[in-house]
Amino acid sequence: NSIIYPKKTQSEVTKNQIFLPVRYKEELYPILAIHDRPLLLHFTNRGDRNCNKLTGPLYKIIINDLEDDKKKLNLVDIECDTMEQGIKEIMLDYNVNRIPSIIAVNKSIKMDEYIVKNLNEIKEIDWNELRKWVESVA
């Protein structure tokens, strides 16, 4: 007996993806290894009000709002609320010292970062600025 997987359509192959959140360093390696497109590492604390100001718009941009259909990238949340040793190592590897932060990597190499410094002072992030940054690294 053999298992037959349905053939993926072109749109399924080219869609941007959001992976399940990473809570341990070992969970990130397989995601980094399979990438042929830029990957956004979204360092966040689940349920944190300030982090959520960035998470919601970021997800909407990745899933729905990239202007150019040729812009392809994926996203994975790095959950920093437990601060497991492996998460601290990832933060050191990518020089992350502020939560939330978004690090754009290509083949595990840091390309750029997006940080909102005054997140606790603003009601919402600048959607256009975030979208332009995401498009610039895609």
Side-chain angles (χ1 to χ4, degrees):
N1 288 344
S2 63
I3 298 173
I4 299 173
Y5 294 97
K7 187 175 180 184
K8 289 187 176 184
T9 65
Q10 187 59 32
S11 67
E12 287 175 321
V13 172
T14 58
K15 272 185 189 163
N16 298 327
Q17 293 181 300
I18 297 176
F19 292 94
L20 290 173
V22 166
R23 297 183 69 85
Y24 303 96
K25 188 173 184 176
E26 299 75 30
E27 295 173 325
L28 182 60
Y29 291 133
I31 296 169
L32 288 170
I34 61 169
H35 268 81
D36 58 349
R37 63 178 70 173
L39 175 67
L40 300 183
L41 305 178
H42 177 223
F43 291 84
T44 188
N45 288 329
R46 189 175 14 175
D48 179 81
R49 196 178 87 237
N50 284 330
C51 290
N52 289 345
K53 289 179 192 176
L54 182 59
T55 302
L58 178 62
Y59 275 39
K60 288 177 185 163
I61 289 167
I62 298 295
I63 295 170
N64 299 323
D65 200 41
L66 282 180
E67 300 242 325
D68 182 350
D69 286 341
K70 293 177 180 65
K71 300 277 186 181
K72 301 295 172 210
L73 54 80
N74 293 331
L75 172 104
V76 63
D77 287 336
I78 312 290
E79 293 189 347
C80 303
D81 45 345
T82 62
M83 287 306 280
E84 293 286 334
Q85 183 58 37
I87 297 299
K88 289 178 187 173
E89 288 176 32
I90 296 169
M91 290 176 70
L92 285 171
D93 289 347
Y94 292 103
N95 197 25
V96 173
N97 51 27
R98 186 183 297 262
I99 308 293
S101 293
I102 308 169
I103 305 298
V105 299
N106 197 350
K107 297 180 176 39
S108 302
I109 312 251
K110 183 176 179 176
M111 301 175 353
D112 201 359
E113 64 185 9
Y114 186 88
I115 298 167
V116 181
K117 292 187 170 89
N118 60 340
L119 206 50
N120 58 341
E121 300 167 14
I122 60 175
K123 188 174 179 178
E124 57 187 43
I125 63 144
D126 183 331
W127 178 278
N128 287 325
E129 177 187 275
L130 178 60
R131 185 175 42 77
K132 284 178 186 168
W133 181 81
V134 169
E135 287 181 348
S136 77
V137 296

